[in-house]
Amino acid sequence: MYITLNATQPPEVSVPDLVDRSLSHAQVLLSNYGLVVGTVTYVPDIAQNAILGQYCQGQPITPGARVAQGTAIDLVVGASLGGP
């Protein structure tokens, strides 16, 4: 005899600290935590491909905050300043 339990809501997970990490590393971390990458916005910055900010539903989200598994985390990423 087996009993199957189905959760009505996804479990909550902690949001990792992504700031100052590379975009590729942040994508792997989010996947490992059961989260997904949302919108990626590039802004001019000397730190190319470094995460400058992390947001959830348009609001800044602090590392360690609890969110439902599968939540999209939006990222602000540095793009090169360019130049001649």
Side-chain angles (χ1 to χ4, degrees), residues 2-81:
Y2 294 96
I3 296 175
T4 303
L5 299 176
N6 292 323
T8 57
Q9 294 185 2
E12 288 191 344
V13 295
S14 295
V15 176
D17 185 5
L18 303 174
V19 175
D20 293 331
R21 298 185 190 270
S22 70
L23 178 58
S24 60
H25 189 213
Q27 291 170 329
V28 170
L29 274 176
L30 288 174
S31 176
N32 288 343
Y33 278 74
L35 301 169
V36 296
V37 176
T39 304
V40 177
T41 305
Y42 289 91
V43 296
D45 192 84
I46 196 166
Q48 186 174 5
N49 285 327
I51 306 299
L52 304 175
Q54 54 192 51
Y55 297 83
C56 183
Q57 298 176 350
Q59 300 297 317
I61 189 161
T62 57
R66 306 284 293 174
V67 296
Q69 194 173 27
T71 298
I73 304 298
D74 301 327
L75 303 173
V76 176
V77 180
S80 73
L81 294 175

